[in-house]
């Protein structure tokens, strides 16, 4: 019994396929703008998460306990 042949190139991921389609449909300026916008969204989410965490810590710190 022979072993299965080994692929020389990896199978593209779903993300790779989306990027390939994106590069066909959009100019490079549009791609850059979309990626910058997405990076901003992720950064806003991170800041919001940090704000919630700081608020939780402050509330725990300054809560008067009987």
């Amino acid at each position: 019994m022979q072993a299965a042949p080994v692929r020389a190139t990896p199978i593209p991921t779903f993300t790779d396929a989306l990027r390939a389609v994106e590069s066909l449909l959009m100019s490079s300026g549009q791609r850059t703008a979309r990626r910058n916008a997405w990076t901003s969204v992720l950064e806003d989410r991170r800041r919001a998460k940090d704000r919630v965490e700081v608020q939780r810590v402050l509330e725990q710190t300054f809560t008067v306990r009987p």
Side-chain angles (χ1 to χ4, degrees):
M1 189 161 128
Q2 293 182 349
V6 177
R7 284 183 172 266
T9 57
I11 298 172
T13 64
F14 183 71
T15 303
D16 293 336
L18 285 177
R19 285 196 176 134
V21 170
E22 172 190 64
S23 66
L24 291 173
L25 297 176
M26 294 181 158
S27 71
S28 83
Q30 287 174 324
R31 277 196 310 270
T32 301
R34 188 190 60 76
R35 286 192 182 133
N36 288 345
W38 183 243
T39 300
S40 294
V41 167
L42 294 177
E43 184 65 19
D44 288 346
R45 288 178 182 175
R46 187 194 61 77
R47 277 194 223 110
K49 182 179 172 186
D50 290 347
R51 259 193 317 273
V52 168
E53 179 64 19
V54 166
Q55 183 179 359
R56 186 186 65 79
V57 168
L58 288 173
E59 286 173 355
Q60 286 179 349
T61 302
F62 293 109
T63 300
V64 178
R65 295 191 174 117

